[in-house]
Amino acid sequence: ELAIKTKDFQAAADMYMRIVDECKENSFAPDALYSAALIYDESIKNLDKAVDVYNQFLIKYPAHKSAKRAAGRVKSITKK
């Protein structure tokens, strides 16, 4: 959260990805992965990385409450 508040978005994305890698079974892992995708998408503007992370999210957590939004973003980004 501090990384986001200080606008160090890359550090925030890295932190979320580390949570996913180190705590796969943690209930926060799906939200961490989705949050990383959002940061790449909306803050860093690295759309290739955003699509990659959204797709990882969709593969790992297809029934998650944010899956529909993630799929929509992938579709929107890849249309461009």
Side-chain angles (χ1 to χ4, degrees):
E1 197 170 299
L2 178 61
I4 292 173
K5 287 181 180 178
T6 61
K7 298 193 186 299
D8 189 350
F9 297 116
Q10 186 61 58
D14 291 344
M15 179 195 63
Y16 284 130
M17 294 303 290
R18 197 165 41 254
I19 289 169
V20 172
D21 290 340
E22 295 174 5
C23 306
K24 290 177 179 61
E25 303 306 316
N26 187 306
S27 63
F28 185 65
D31 292 323
L33 191 56
Y34 183 74
S35 294
L38 280 176
I39 291 170
Y40 284 116
D41 184 359
E42 297 175 359
S43 300
I44 298 173
K45 306 289 187 202
N46 182 340
L47 299 183
D48 289 337
K49 183 66 174 179
V51 167
D52 179 52
V53 178
Y54 280 131
N55 281 330
Q56 288 178 47
F57 173 80
L58 290 167
I59 289 167
K60 290 180 181 182
Y61 311 107
H64 189 272
K65 64 184 179 196
S66 297
K68 190 172 184 177
R69 282 181 278 168
R73 283 303 297 148
V74 168
K75 186 175 179 180
S76 178
I77 292 169
T78 56
K79 271 186 164 180
K80 296 178 181 178

